[in-house]
Amino acid sequence: QVQLVESGGGLVQAGGSLRLSCAASGRTFSSYAVAWFRQAPGKAREFVAAISWSVGNTNYADSVKGRFIISRDNAKNTVYLQMNSLKPEDTAGYYCAAKYSYSAFLSVFAREYDYWGQGTQVTVSS
């Protein structure tokens, strides 16, 4: 069992930056794929970025490519999402998710992830 706890959300002006953290407890991330999803009010949950812990490859949604960076810290068993050049349309609840995987393949579908955090709110003002 993996427990995920997100932190780092908040209110920021357009063009600003935030760094979200996803800390795991219960198990190490060493054999997991970890992803960030987001959900705005009235909208479906959408894929943001993912990283394969064992292989190290990453995948990004087109809407955040070039602005967001997903990374991992082995020692802290934590995944980060560095968000730069934020836009009002990035406003959403951001959720960390994980699935057991040794593959380099990174799913963009929320239904394929088994473990979820409680979410952290990101609000970008114009």
Side-chain angles (χ1 to χ4, degrees):
Q1 192 78 4
V2 176
Q3 291 81 43
L4 306 176
V5 178
E6 303 99 330
S7 61
L11 173 64
V12 64
Q13 288 189 330
S17 298
L18 282 174
R19 188 178 77 159
L20 305 184
S21 299
C22 174
S25 62
R27 281 201 160 185
T28 65
F29 270 146
S30 61
S31 54
Y32 285 80
V34 182
W36 287 95
F37 289 81
R38 65 186 181 186
Q39 188 168 19
K43 294 188 176 181
R45 189 164 295 192
E46 66 171 349
F47 171 79
V48 176
I51 187 167
S52 168
W53 199 276
S54 58
V55 179
N57 61 306
T58 58
N59 189 19
Y60 295 92
D62 288 343
S63 59
V64 306
K65 203 170 291 184
R67 299 189 297 123
F68 291 12
I69 301 171
I70 189 169
S71 62
R72 69 189 194 279
D73 185 322
N74 291 359
K76 295 183 178 180
N77 209 32
T78 298
V79 170
Y80 301 101
L81 185 67
Q82 178 66 43
M83 305 186 296
N84 302 318
S85 301
L86 282 161
K87 305 175 182 179
E89 51 264 44
D90 294 318
T91 294
Y94 282 71
Y95 298 86
C96 177
K99 65 185 296 286
Y100 182 79
S101 175
Y102 274 109
S103 169
F105 173 73
L106 294 169
S107 174
V108 303
F109 298 107
R111 63 178 180 269
E112 296 187 6
Y113 289 82
D114 302 310
Y115 304 100
W116 290 83
Q118 82 289 350
T120 186
Q121 179 67 31
V122 172
T123 303
V124 184
S125 63
S126 56

